């Protein structure tokens, strides 16, 4: 049960990442936000890396290919794509596209590991997806014609595929590494890759953007909650309950997004939110608790 709590907290914190990422989109460049997010996470993790360096780097020498791939996908890729997308797409479109992650996870699991998709799981995914779409369309089907797609939507799609692939490939996490050791080495590798891209694009390490309170406070939140806590929770849960089950929890993000929008943006919870929440919850129940365990 605790791993399901981990997943709920994970997507709650990620929902905040969407809100704060969008909030500061005009105050800081996407590459800057992505790099400094993980730069500060790495600073926090450095003492832990120093203490556990023997095991961490011993395993890295043996499994460097898988660790490089996971570090690139999980740390360097997903949020960089997300922040670029939030520059030009709406939060509505981003949440709608983000709901495709469970589908990508199931498809990639089937392609890479030949996992089977049961009928009840398919029905559960369908209900959850319908719930998300119902939320996005605010209960009115004609709203679908009002959606406009931009280059930012392509970045969000790239982020979804990136995260789905990362989630599926977590099966290759070296068993010799404890969850925190794994998170630390992938953060180190991913941040190093981000730094190389950061420098290549002409940026330099300077902190003048932190003078803006909205950027400072947003970055503090992003470093602690969607980064350190969410990644730790997600990695632990994937290894315990499997990628397909865990992926369904990303459908909770529009729900949490609506709640966070109520507190931070003053938006009111409407009837269509309640209907969407019920559909999503029912879909998760079907796909997780009424199917045989799969990993």
């Amino acid at each position: 049960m605790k791993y399901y709590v981990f997943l709920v907290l994970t997507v709650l914190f990620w929902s905040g990442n969407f809100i704060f990422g969008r909030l500061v989109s005009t105050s800081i460049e996407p590459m800057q936000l992505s790099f400094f997010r993980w730069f500060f996470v790495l600073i926090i993790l450095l003492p832990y890396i120093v203490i556990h360096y023997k095991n961490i780097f011993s395993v890295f020498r043996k499994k460097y290919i898988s660790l490089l791939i996971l570090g690139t996908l999980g740390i360097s890729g997903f949020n960089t794509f997300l922040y670029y997308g939030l520059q030009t797409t709406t939060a509505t479109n981003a949440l709608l596209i983000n709901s495709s992650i469970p589908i990508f996870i199931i498809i990639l699991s089937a392609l890479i590991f030949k996992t089977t998709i049961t009928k009840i799981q398919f029905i559960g995914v369908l209900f959850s997806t319908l719930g998300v779409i119902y939320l996005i369309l605010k209960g009115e089907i004609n709203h679908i014609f009002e959606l406009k797609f931009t280059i930012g939507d392509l970045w969000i799609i790239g982020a979804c595929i990136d995260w789905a692939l990362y989630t599926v490939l977590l099966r290759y996490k070296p068993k010799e590494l404890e969850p925190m050791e794994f998170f630390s080495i992938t953060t180190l590798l991913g941040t190093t890759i981000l730094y190389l891209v950061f420098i290549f694009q002409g940026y330099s390490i300077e902190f003048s953007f932190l003078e803006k309170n909205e950027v400072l406070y947003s970055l503090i939140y992003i470093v602690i909650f969607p980064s350190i806590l969410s990644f730790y929770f997600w990695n632990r849960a994937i290894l315990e309950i499997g990628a397909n089950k865990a992926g369904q929890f990303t459908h909770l993000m529009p729900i949490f997004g609506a709640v966070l929008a109520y507190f931070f943006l003053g938006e009111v919870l409407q009837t269509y939110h309640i209907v969407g929440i019920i559909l999503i919850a029912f879909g998760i129940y079907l796909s997780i608790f009424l199917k045989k365990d799969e990993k």
Side-chain angles (χ1 to χ4, degrees), residues 227-294:
S227 301
I228 296 175
L229 293 179
S230 284
F231 267 76
Y232 178 77
F233 291 161
W234 183 262
N235 292 342
R236 285 291 304 274
I238 290 294
L239 296 174
E240 293 296 328
I241 70 173
N244 285 357
K245 283 184 177 181
Q248 303 311 307
F249 279 79
T250 59
H251 276 145
L252 290 171
M253 288 183 65
I255 299 175
F256 292 139
V259 174
L260 291 173
Y262 171 79
F263 286 106
F264 289 97
L265 305 176
E267 297 181 4
V268 179
L269 195 65
Q270 304 287 353
T271 303
Y272 65 82
H273 288 122
I274 306 301
V275 175
I277 288 170
I278 292 172
L279 287 171
I280 292 169
F282 184 61
I284 291 174
Y285 174 77
L286 287 179
S287 60
I288 292 177
F289 297 105
L290 292 184
K291 62 183 287 294
K292 294 181 180 179
D293 289 340
E294 289 180 5

Side-chain angles (χ1 to χ4, degrees), residues 49-255:
I49 294 174
V50 170
I51 294 172
H52 297 269
Y53 80 94
K54 286 186 178 180
N55 187 51
I56 289 175
F57 290 103
S58 173
V59 175
F60 173 70
R61 284 194 292 268
K62 301 173 185 176
K63 307 288 181 64
Y64 63 90
I65 293 179
S66 60
L67 288 171
L68 277 169
I69 291 173
L70 290 170
T72 300
L73 291 171
I75 304 300
S76 307
F78 175 73
N79 285 282
T80 303
F81 296 158
L82 174 64
Y83 295 143
Y84 271 105
L86 288 174
Q87 293 284 305
T88 54
T89 192
T90 64
T92 297
N93 282 17
L95 285 169
L96 175 59
I97 296 167
N98 189 76
S99 70
S100 65
I101 286 180
I103 307 300
F104 284 127
I105 289 175
I106 290 173
I107 292 172
L108 290 173
S109 292
L111 290 175
I112 298 173
F113 297 115
K114 311 301 181 185
T115 57
T116 58
I117 304 173
T118 65
K119 290 182 180 179
I120 194 68
Q121 181 182 25
F122 176 80
I123 294 173
V125 170
L126 181 62
F127 268 101
S128 291
T129 302
L130 287 174
V132 171
I133 294 174
Y134 193 86
L135 275 176
I136 298 301
L137 298 181
K138 300 181 179 180
E140 298 290 340
I141 189 65
N142 60 296
H143 284 176
I144 196 169
F145 301 109
E146 300 173 10
L147 296 176
K148 297 179 181 179
F149 292 89
T150 69
I151 188 66
D153 299 311
L154 298 180
W155 281 110
I156 302 296
I157 291 173
C160 292
I161 295 174
D162 176 291
W163 188 256
L165 186 58
Y166 168 78
T167 298
V168 171
L169 294 182
L170 272 176
R171 184 175 295 195
Y172 291 114
K173 169 196 170 295
K175 293 181 173 59
E176 303 92 331
L177 291 175
E178 294 296 326
M180 201 64 188
E181 292 176 332
F182 172 72
F183 178 55
S184 297
I185 185 60
T186 52
T187 297
L188 175 59
L189 295 172
T191 304
T192 300
I193 293 169
L194 275 174
Y195 175 72
L196 295 175
V197 177
F198 184 78
I199 295 300
F200 179 77
Q201 291 189 356
Y203 294 103
S204 59
I205 297 182
E206 52 85 23
F207 305 98
S208 59
F209 61 86
L210 293 179
E211 296 174 0
K212 302 175 182 178
N213 286 337
E214 70 271 18
V215 175
L216 175 61
Y217 297 139
S218 295
L219 196 56
I220 290 173
Y221 169 84
I222 290 172
V223 165
I224 296 173
F225 295 97
S227 301
I228 296 175
L229 293 179
S230 284
F231 267 76
Y232 178 77
F233 291 161
W234 183 262
N235 292 342
R236 285 291 304 274
I238 290 294
L239 296 174
E240 293 296 328
I241 70 173
N244 285 357
K245 283 184 177 181
Q248 303 311 307
F249 279 79
T250 59
H251 276 145
L252 290 171
M253 288 183 65
I255 299 175

